[in-house]
């Protein structure tokens, strides 16, 4: 039976690749809206794990082939994902992985819930040909133990603080403070998100904000500049913070 690992680049999924990756294939889903750090992380982890497992480890990158990425889809739909409408997860993570697995025959998908998350099942039972397993729960490994194991092998993620809620650069789960950190630490991507946000107006000129509080990123940028005048070393403060 083919063995696959649901790989996000985070702590638990990387731990599964480290412990159970030999002879297995990791699946990473590209939404097309990831931070640059995430793309670098995926490639770096794969290269290191390939060495650790003596070449007996593979990585498959999948995406939704119907649409040209999450950001492009949102622009055309004039509809931002939200806590009530998480089409970003459904269309750009779950469906591409399910489509891939449906063509693999009988197989196993390892899902990275840790021992503290026992009882969660994720997408259990979506595909009849897939056996869903939770090896970290079975092994009794909690998040702290996973982190220690990754540190021993130089695989612990060192994402900047604006990636606290994951890899997508337009995630509605990000807090205002996280977007401020993005402004100070990754101005190019922040400016791209301003352009994206301002391109999300519909024919009624209704404005669709990325942040859940409705504040525009351009307005937040003005606030950031005011803070910088008050605290000239504010960028160093954000750099010192880690996920």
């Amino acid at each position: 039976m083919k063995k696959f690992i649901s790989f996000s680049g985070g702590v638990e999924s990387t731990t599964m690749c480290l412990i159970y990756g030999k002879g297995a294939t990791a699946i990473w889903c590209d939404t097309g809206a990831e931070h640059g750090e995430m793309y670098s992380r995926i490639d770096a982890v794969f290269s290191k794990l390939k060495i650790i497992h003596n070449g007996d480890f593979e990585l498959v990158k999948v995406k939704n082939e119907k649409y040209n990425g999450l950001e492009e889809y949102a622009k055309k739909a004039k509809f931002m994902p939200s806590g009530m409408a998480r089409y970003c997860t459904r269309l750009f993570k779950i469906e591409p992985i399910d489509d891939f697995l449906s063509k693999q025959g009988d197989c196993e998908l390892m899902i990275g819930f840790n021992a503290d998350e026992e009882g969660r099942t994720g997408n259990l039972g979506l595909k009849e040909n897939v056996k869903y397993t939770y090896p970290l729960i079975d092994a009794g490994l909690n998040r702290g133990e996973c982190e220690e194991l990754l540190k021993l092998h130089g695989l612990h993620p060192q994402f900047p603080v604006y990636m606290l809620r994951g890899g997508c650069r337009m995630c509605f789960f990000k807090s205002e403070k996280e977007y401020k950190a993005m402004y100070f630490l990754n101005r190019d991507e922040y400016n791209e998100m301003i352009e994206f946000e301002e391109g999300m107006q519909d024919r009624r000129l209704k404005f669709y904000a990325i942040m859940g509080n409705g504040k525009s990123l351009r307005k937040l940028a003005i606030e950031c500049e005011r803070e910088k005048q008050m605290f000239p070393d504010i960028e160093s403060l954000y750099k010192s913070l880690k996920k």
Side-chain angles (χ1 to χ4, degrees), residues 42-75:
I42 298 302
D43 292 338
V45 169
F46 171 65
S47 296
K48 195 156 191 175
L49 287 168
K50 190 82 170 177
I51 295 172
I52 289 174
H53 294 307
N54 295 317
D56 194 11
F57 174 73
E58 297 299 331
L59 171 67
V60 171
K61 298 178 181 180
V62 300
K63 62 181 180 179
N64 192 319
E65 299 292 347
K66 299 176 186 176
Y67 311 108
N68 188 29
L70 172 56
E71 291 174 15
E72 190 65 29
Y73 178 88
K75 283 182 181 180

Side-chain angles (χ1 to χ4, degrees), residues 13-21 49 52-53 149-150 153 155:
S13 67
T14 305
T15 301
M16 288 196 303
C17 290
L18 176 62
I19 301 176
Y20 308 104
L49 287 168
I52 289 174
H53 294 307
L149 187 60
L150 293 184
H153 291 83
L155 287 168

Side-chain angles (χ1 to χ4, degrees), residues 162 177-187 190 221 223-228 231 234-236 238-239:
Y162 58 79
K177 289 182 179 179
E178 288 169 82
Y179 276 108
K180 283 185 176 181
M182 186 176 167
Y183 176 85
F184 288 117
L185 302 181
N186 193 340
R187 191 70 55 82
Y190 188 94
E223 293 181 10
C224 288
E225 283 302 310
R226 289 173 182 164
E227 290 182 10
K228 189 173 181 179
F231 308 101
I234 193 169
E235 293 181 11
S236 296
Y238 277 110
K239 286 180 181 178

Side-chain angles (χ1 to χ4, degrees), residues 34-211:
E34 310 291 325
H35 282 290
E37 286 88 349
M38 180 59 75
Y39 291 107
S40 298
R41 162 77 178 170
I42 298 302
D43 292 338
V45 169
F46 171 65
S47 296
K48 195 156 191 175
L49 287 168
K50 190 82 170 177
I51 295 172
I52 289 174
H53 294 307
N54 295 317
D56 194 11
F57 174 73
E58 297 299 331
L59 171 67
V60 171
K61 298 178 181 180
V62 300
K63 62 181 180 179
N64 192 319
E65 299 292 347
K66 299 176 186 176
Y67 311 108
N68 188 29
L70 172 56
E71 291 174 15
E72 190 65 29
Y73 178 88
K75 283 182 181 180
K76 290 181 178 179
K78 298 296 183 184
F79 182 38
M80 285 289 292
S82 67
M84 298 296 292
R86 291 182 62 179
Y87 68 80
C88 48
T89 299
R90 176 175 56 83
L91 292 179
F92 293 92
K93 291 187 178 180
I94 295 175
E95 286 190 7
I97 292 176
D98 283 349
D99 288 344
F100 172 80
L101 291 173
S102 67
K103 303 169 185 176
Q104 303 305 313
D106 290 338
C107 60
E108 175 185 351
L109 179 66
M110 292 176 255
I111 299 174
F113 293 141
N114 64 57
D116 298 326
E117 300 174 293
E118 188 169 3
R120 293 182 65 187
T121 58
N123 305 320
L124 180 63
L126 285 182
K127 294 296 176 182
E128 293 183 358
N129 65 302
V130 181
K131 177 183 178 182
Y132 298 87
T133 61
Y134 308 89
L136 299 181
I137 292 177
D138 294 341
L141 289 173
N142 60 34
R143 184 175 178 86
E145 291 169 326
C146 290
E147 288 185 307
E148 289 302 315
L149 187 60
L150 293 184
K151 288 175 183 177
L152 287 174
H153 291 83
L155 287 168
H156 193 281
Q158 297 295 322
F159 293 131
V161 67
Y162 58 79
M163 290 177 66
L164 180 65
R165 307 300 174 92
C168 288
R169 58 187 193 164
M170 53 174 281
C171 184
F172 56 86
F173 281 128
K174 287 185 190 294
S175 67
E176 184 172 306
K177 289 182 179 179
E178 288 169 82
Y179 276 108
K180 283 185 176 181
M182 186 176 167
Y183 176 85
F184 288 117
L185 302 181
N186 193 340
R187 191 70 55 82
D188 288 344
E189 285 194 359
Y190 188 94
N191 289 338
E192 288 174 4
M193 288 299 95
I194 287 180
E195 292 181 11
F196 166 77
E197 187 179 65
E198 293 180 347
M200 280 294 294
Q201 298 185 52
D202 63 16
R203 294 176 181 175
R204 299 166 296 168
L205 299 182
K206 181 177 179 179
F207 181 76
Y208 291 86
I210 289 177
M211 288 192 294

